[in-house]
Amino acid sequence: MEQKRLDDSLHRKADWKNWGTYVSDRQWATVREDYGGDPWTYFPHDHARSRAYRWSEDSIGGFCNRFQNICLGLAFWNEKDPIIKERYFGLGGPEGNHGEDVKEHYFYLDNTPTHSYSKMLYKYPMNEYPYGDLVSINAQRGKQDPEYEIEDTGIFDKDEYFDCFIEYAKGDQEDDILCRVTIHNRSSDREAPIHVLPHLWYRNTWSWGYSDRRPYIHRHTHNQLVSEEVHIGKRYYIVQTSDAENGNGTKEDINYLFTENDTNTQRLFNWPNSSPYVKDGINNSVVNGWKDCVNQKSGTKVAAHCKKLLAPGESYTVKIRFSPSEFQEREAFQDFDSIFTKRKQEADEFYDNIFKANQCGFDAMGEDLKRIQRQSLAGLLWTKQYYHFGVDMWAKGDPAHPRTKPVTRNNHWDHFYANDVISMPDKWEFPFLAAWDLAFQMIPMMLLDIEWTKRQLILITREWYSHSSGALCAYEWDFGDVNPPVHAWATLEVYKHIEKTTGVKDLDFLEQIFHKLLLNFTWWVNKKDIKGNNIFEGGFLGLDNIGVFDRSTPLRDGAKLQQADGTSWMAFYSANMLKISLILARERNSYESIATKFLEHFISIAKSITSKTGLWSSEDGFFFDSIISPNSEQHQLKVYSFVGLIPLFAAEILDYDTLQALPKFKERLDWFVKYRPNLVKNIAPFTALGQNKSRLLSIVNREKLELILKKMLDEDWFLSENGIRSLSKHHKDHPFTFEEMDACVGYVPGESDVHIMGSNSNWRGPVWFAVNYLMIQSLRTYHEYYGDEFQIEYPTNSGNIVTLDIIADDISKRLISIFQENQDGTRKFAGGKPIFAKQHWKNHILFNEYFHGDSGAGLGASHQTGWTALVAKLINEIKK
């Protein structure tokens, strides 16, 4: 049935994706809500309960329609906290010793592509939440210290917490929304109260001076509410608890607390409120017992106040239904549980089909691998978010709140306007568009929903997202920044997946994006190759602190940084654009000459990066960044990092059939070898035939490949038990020092110890899934060309000689092992913390942003089931 819903959505027979888990985990302290100059201080967490958001909403376990006209979400209270828990708490960038960080435990457990069934878990302490403790102790810690997490406070030690499971299901109609909240007292000896507050509220669209038309929610019948908004019409809302269901009363009086989603100006700015009913009215009523801050009739925000004293081990359920159809109150929940049972069964069937598509086979997977793959894909679906941001409107301010000072951030991107559901890197730590993250996210997403995947990749290239110059947007903090050009690669991967799984050659999809990427490629050539010598810059290029200094900062005295990764990414980009143009040329002849153009680009870049004046060191057998002084002196920065491994990504197979079908292209290829030998002498030879008469397009020839792999596959250098490190362990005892800038790079396998790029990520030792995935793909490409004839020692100095495909498989297994359950019940991502081996924790998995270079412990953003969901694709590719 889930596949049928996807098919109906594709063919516009139904709109099953209109409603989903699209509400952000954090809206406060974002650039789009910043009207003061510093997002962290202008709109902190303390303001969020009282201040109306301008652009979109946040919540715990939120659900909304694609334009977020109205939202459902949950709040809880334990009678100990100073505020209700209606959003996750975390530290802002300046507060954390390693940047922003959520200080809660929640897990995305299940979801389907149409959000017909979804499930998550929030762990809510019975004792007072340690807001002050988390802020003050993290403030005392430095870059060398670990982060102080909520479990470090001891608040979970005695199992004195509630497991709050939040589930959503859709009825037989796409807009019939059911929510089931099940609370478990996990204490073995403590009775404790829990307040469950299901919320329904409208996004504030009336306070900004464009229209003062307010939608409404008001009481309709005894326990039923009605809401109406111009875009979504009338809808009905009803709540029931397990007390009523179990016969503790034939009729239940739900206490609905109404208020308005308006800013409490009195609290925040000492301005009198125009109404007693403001955004934090429900909080003030529940926590402080204030009577005049809510009403029992109507508002734009409402919560059902449900409470229960739970005995040890006891559970409590609250049911919510939100539908365009009016209910007979006694009938509203008659089919409720059966719908959940059915949707859960359909979700199981959907994922069973995904498991069966894995190369290792359904029966060989084991329950733990299935759990890892399913939760990673569930997290990927939960991190879809309604993203609303218009740069021009934001920069000018609204009619009701005009700007008084000019804004410089994103000032060349005033055309940018987002009003879409977009795949986010992490809905708390990175609750904003990040283009290169999104490209990686679409690789596992294509296992779930091809239509959604294609639409996301196309969306990023549309004219209101990309720049007229050809630049693609980077991320909200600076849309004009430069990320690695991986969009063509992702597009190509999706095209190949569609052809492999369906037999369809989706040339229209490929062509649509290719045309936009022609502009982007030209932008790269014109803007990032300053001297026109095919050696590229680009800045930090997504690898935050990997360099000895901030690579986005201009060098003094007119010196220029030439980047091995920037240049290699452009070779990679050229190879991908070449491959796409060859695919199109086999069906549409006009593309053959374009393919030739990208071949020329690739050869020129490959020649430049491998020449004596390039970025290759024959002495060290590695690629390095280089500083060029104004008098053209070159100084290589000999840091052994992933910067020097990225050249291996620029590898593409030219298959025999394609070359035979495109004789003009083949002729041009052979012409280069014959008449421009100086351009191709340092790279892989085009004329040497590999497996199945294929040819290899690669920056590195066999000799260079062997030299680089010798270091990459050495466990004292790059290879760890958990994948390929971002910086060689060699630098642990041999740090690189750049005396001209008094800067140093050493091996730091955990959190960052420097402040570059906010210090909330680290590329000086940890393992990152995105680049590891590309490396695994590259090894498979080289094996496809060289075959079993190319063998190398793995690991280096082990005496074990294997082929490249076996190495690719083993690195995949090392990455997957981060999440697998060990014999003692632990998982490496948990960093040895005992709490994660407990009964109600051990099967709930976090997919972090990156992982400790030695231990595999999860680091950075804790819910980065954006690109870390690539583990699902790795599992998909495992062979028996």
Side-chain angles (χ1 to χ4, degrees), residues 63-260:
F63 209 85
C64 69
N65 66 316
R66 67 163 54 89
F67 294 117
Q68 202 172 85
N69 303 101
I70 196 167
C71 304
L72 295 87
L74 275 301
F76 307 97
W77 190 48
N78 55 15
E79 298 188 0
K80 302 288 185 181
D81 286 349
I83 56 175
I84 62 173
K85 181 67 69 173
E86 58 182 320
R87 59 183 49 81
Y88 302 119
F89 174 75
L91 303 184
E95 293 178 306
N97 59 324
H98 296 291
E100 62 267 37
D101 187 41
V102 68
K103 301 298 183 183
E104 307 271 12
H105 277 306
Y106 55 102
F107 304 87
Y108 300 131
L109 303 179
D110 214 349
N111 213 329
T112 60
T114 65
H115 310 286
S116 58
Y117 178 74
S118 52
K119 182 178 182 180
M120 65 157 291
L121 167 64
Y122 171 58
K123 290 182 177 287
Y124 184 42
M126 293 177 182
N127 294 314
E128 183 176 348
Y129 186 91
Y131 291 102
D133 191 34
L134 288 165
V135 173
S136 62
I137 292 182
N138 275 287
Q140 296 166 20
R141 297 192 173 190
K143 301 297 180 201
Q144 309 291 337
D145 301 316
E147 296 174 348
Y148 184 63
E149 305 292 3
I150 186 172
E151 63 269 20
D152 299 327
T153 69
I155 201 165
F156 292 110
D157 287 354
K158 297 179 181 179
D159 295 331
E160 292 180 337
Y161 67 90
F162 301 103
D163 265 345
C164 306
F165 289 94
I166 302 169
E167 297 172 279
Y168 288 97
K170 293 181 181 179
D172 292 336
Q173 302 301 315
E174 67 218 36
D175 50 4
D176 182 14
I177 311 302
L178 290 69
C179 177
R180 183 168 64 188
V181 185
T182 307
I183 312 296
H184 297 276
N185 180 344
R186 292 306 187 194
S187 173
S188 60
D189 56 10
R190 178 175 167 184
E191 183 181 65
I194 181 69
H195 295 239
V196 182
L197 297 144
H199 276 55
L200 179 70
W201 74 103
Y202 287 105
R203 177 167 58 89
N204 187 321
T205 58
W206 54 87
S207 294
W208 320 114
Y210 301 102
S211 171
D212 60 0
R213 179 174 56 195
R214 285 176 183 256
Y216 69 80
I217 310 167
H218 64 67
R219 192 181 292 273
H220 181 59
T221 60
H222 183 71
N223 275 344
Q224 189 172 182
L225 309 182
V226 62
S227 64
E228 185 168 16
E229 194 267 347
V230 64
H231 296 98
I232 58 175
K234 281 188 177 182
R235 297 185 61 86
Y236 298 86
Y237 183 83
I238 190 167
V239 176
Q240 183 188 74
T241 72
S242 52
D243 280 349
E245 184 181 22
N246 295 333
N248 297 343
T250 57
K251 215 171 190 183
E252 184 177 28
D253 291 324
I254 296 293
N255 184 19
Y256 289 110
L257 308 176
F258 290 87
T259 189
E260 302 292 339

Side-chain angles (χ1 to χ4, degrees), residues 25 101 236 293 295 372 489 530 661 677 762 780 788 810 815 842 874:
D25 292 340
D101 187 41
Y236 298 86
C293 55
N295 69 79
I372 295 166
W489 164 78
I530 302 300
N762 184 24
R780 298 195 195 283
D788 292 346
D810 187 70
L815 289 161
K842 66 178 184 178
L874 293 176

Side-chain angles (χ1 to χ4, degrees), residues 676-723:
R676 294 290 185 270
N678 62 307
L679 293 180
V680 298
K681 66 179 180 180
N682 292 320
I683 64 178
F686 299 152
T687 54
L689 298 182
Q691 301 297 302
N692 301 314
K693 299 182 181 180
S694 63
R695 301 197 193 190
L696 178 66
L697 199 66
S698 171
I699 282 180
V700 297
N701 57 23
R702 181 166 181 157
E703 178 188 1
K704 290 184 176 67
L705 179 61
E706 289 177 343
L707 288 170
I708 294 171
L709 288 180
K710 184 176 181 180
K711 292 182 175 63
M712 189 183 89
L713 304 179
D714 191 329
E715 292 179 311
D716 292 327
W717 282 66
F718 284 98
L719 183 64
S720 79
E721 292 182 0
N722 314 296

Side-chain angles (χ1 to χ4, degrees), residues 347-363:
D348 291 343
E349 292 168 2
F350 178 79
Y351 279 101
D352 281 351
N353 287 328
I354 289 178
F355 301 149
K356 290 172 183 175
N358 293 336
Q359 293 190 38
C360 65
F362 180 85
D363 295 329

